[in-house]
Amino acid sequence: MAQDRDRRNLPPLNLHVPEPRFRPGDTVDFSDLDIEAAGTTRRPDETTCPADMRDLAYGLVRVLDDEYRAVGSWDPRLDGDTLLRILRAMALTRAFDERMFRAQRQGKTSFYMKCTGEEAVAVAAAFALHRDDMCFPSYRQQGLLIARDWPLVDMMNQIYSNRADRLQGKQMPIMYSSKEASFFSISGNLATQCPQAVGWAMASAAKGDTRIAAFWCGEGSTAEGDFHSACTFASVYRAPVILNVVNNQWAISSFSGFAGAEATTFAARAIGYGIAGLRVDGNDPLAVYAATKWAADRARANAGPTLIEHFTYRVEGHSTSDDPSQYRSVMESEEWPLGDPIKRLKRHLIGLGLWDMERQAAMDLEVAEYVKNCAKEAEKNGILGHGLHQPLETLFEGVFEEMPWHLREQRDQMFAEWEASKK
């Protein structure tokens, strides 16, 4: 009874519901974001114990300063040719996005997802990895394939689900797969690739191979159980894997606070698992390259996994089915303080005397023309919705190594009914 009387004096409990800082129509002000100056974050040895680098999960690895100069210990000191190749791959990725977005609006495919503003997260990472390191992407890392020189026509064939689609129309548009490019099949079920990547890395280590794995997921996906299962296995077995969390501030229409961004950083997820954690400026191609190379070297030295949070911003809608103006201020992308990754690398190269605005304009025109020609070539194989592009029997192929009896029975029944319908 005394306890009941005491309880009456307690304030009522409150439930905190995260709320985005800016809604449609709001004035956007990111001035309170704690963004460390480029070059100030320390760079530890790749084999450093995770407990001795906790501060890096709360900082921000940056290389390019406000004058677009490469500064600090994280500067990867890349040669001019590599920098120009990264710039072109990012520009090509953006041109590819623009063309395929337009194709969807023209009714040539049902669905598309752009990575505008996030090109560095995939492209720069691809250059830091070995070409045969296995990538387990989410649906916004088309830059991995493009950086690895995978044919754009093949990617477009998959988007159009046409007769040249190697996946025979069994995947949604943009869910590519290429064993030859070490690019694991994309899954629409979020975070399933996380434990798959760790398992692949464990198998590589068990076989005494030298290849590592990397996965990419959005910050919202870190709330999925698969992500935490992956962290557990990666930590326990010191799997040679890189866990990339792309914090672009939005998971469809849910802002990052619903996944825990108000309480801490996503790189800090690593601390509880005893994993090395890095928080990186995801719009700085040199920082993404440097962090990925650091994590890859760590994995190859058998020092364990690394979780990298790429702090970036989703400029476009979640997909062609999304209208971001319904839930966020249209000013957000313009006011994002970390800028545009293509512009930043372009300005860096100009500062080095390796590039100029005229060559940039010529390259932009060249990649746009190249993408247009690839699209025309892919469209010769058909576009989505214009007839049956794949033979009917392929409906049952490529799923099971040995087709189960009940599927064989259904296939035979389907063929019988199909023949009967022709009479």
Side-chain angles (χ1 to χ4, degrees), residues 45-225:
D45 183 81
E46 291 88 344
T47 59
T48 298
C49 175
D52 295 330
M53 51 179 291
R54 292 188 177 193
D55 57 307
L56 295 178
Y58 300 99
L60 195 66
V61 175
R62 304 182 69 206
V63 174
L64 294 175
D65 66 12
D66 293 341
E67 302 299 322
Y68 308 103
R69 298 168 301 194
V71 297
S73 59
W74 283 97
D75 177 9
R77 294 176 173 78
L78 297 175
D79 61 86
D81 179 65
T82 301
L83 291 171
L84 287 168
R85 286 167 57 211
I86 293 174
L87 179 67
R88 186 183 185 280
M90 289 196 296
L92 183 57
T93 300
R94 187 166 293 184
F96 178 84
D97 273 358
E98 292 295 333
R99 191 77 191 187
M100 291 297 95
F101 180 87
R102 195 179 316 148
Q104 191 277 335
R105 291 299 193 240
Q106 293 169 341
K108 296 177 181 178
T109 187
S110 61
F111 184 77
Y112 192 74
M113 304 181 79
K114 300 173 78 173
C115 66
T116 308
E118 301 176 43
E119 291 89 355
V121 170
V123 171
F127 276 84
L129 295 168
H130 292 175
R131 288 224 166 191
D132 57 354
D133 287 335
M134 194 66 181
C135 295
F136 291 76
S138 184
Y139 38 59
R140 222 179 296 277
Q141 280 79 55
Q142 52 267 50
L144 291 169
L145 282 172
I146 292 172
R148 287 181 169 181
D149 303 314
W150 192 251
L152 297 190
V153 173
D154 185 78
M155 297 171 68
M156 293 172 174
N157 287 333
Q158 195 280 323
I159 292 169
Y160 292 142
S161 297
N162 59 28
R163 61 177 172 269
D165 175 14
R166 291 180 299 103
L167 306 185
Q168 300 178 315
K170 290 185 174 69
Q171 275 278 43
M172 284 180 60
I174 65 88
M175 294 190 178
Y176 322 99
S177 176
S178 173
K179 183 177 181 180
E180 298 83 355
S182 298
F183 187 96
F184 198 80
S185 180
I186 296 174
S187 172
N189 298 317
L190 299 185
T192 57
Q193 75 275 19
C194 301
Q196 293 165 350
V198 175
W200 193 97
M202 291 170 59
S204 182
K207 292 187 296 184
D209 205 339
T210 58
R211 295 174 296 168
I212 67 171
F215 75 69
W216 287 257
C217 72
E219 85 283 349
S221 296
T222 65
E224 295 282 345

Side-chain angles (χ1 to χ4, degrees), residues 229-374:
S229 295
C231 288
T232 298
F233 276 84
S235 173
V236 170
Y237 295 98
R238 296 182 186 172
V241 62
I242 304 173
L243 295 64
N244 292 286
V245 176
V246 185
N247 178 11
N248 63 16
Q249 314 305 313
W250 292 93
I252 310 183
S253 59
S254 296
F255 90 112
S256 58
F258 281 104
E262 290 183 340
T264 186
T265 69
F266 291 97
R269 296 271 197 276
I271 295 174
Y273 289 100
I275 293 174
L278 297 174
R279 190 165 175 264
V280 178
D281 179 350
N283 288 24
D284 180 344
L286 298 188
V288 172
Y289 180 98
T292 304
K293 182 66 165 57
W294 186 95
D297 290 345
R298 180 181 179 84
R300 294 188 215 283
N302 291 309
T306 303
L307 191 159
I308 302 176
E309 176 191 347
H310 301 269
F311 193 59
T312 182
Y313 186 82
R314 196 195 75 205
V315 172
E316 300 283 352
H318 174 71
S319 72
T320 49
S321 302
D322 177 42
D323 179 7
S325 68
Q326 298 298 307
Y327 54 83
R328 71 184 189 188
S329 172
V330 294
M331 298 294 294
E332 278 197 21
S333 62
E334 298 176 19
E335 296 296 326
W336 184 247
L338 295 180
D340 180 285
I342 295 177
K343 176 184 175 182
R344 291 174 71 181
L345 185 56
K346 174 190 70 177
R347 293 291 299 271
H348 175 62
L349 283 161
I350 291 174
L352 293 176
L354 300 174
W355 202 237
D356 53 52
M357 296 301 292
E358 290 75 19
R359 279 183 281 186
Q360 179 70 34
M363 184 187 69
D364 288 340
L365 183 63
E366 179 262 319
V367 295
E369 190 68 19
Y370 175 64
V371 170
K372 182 176 74 172
N373 292 334
C374 288

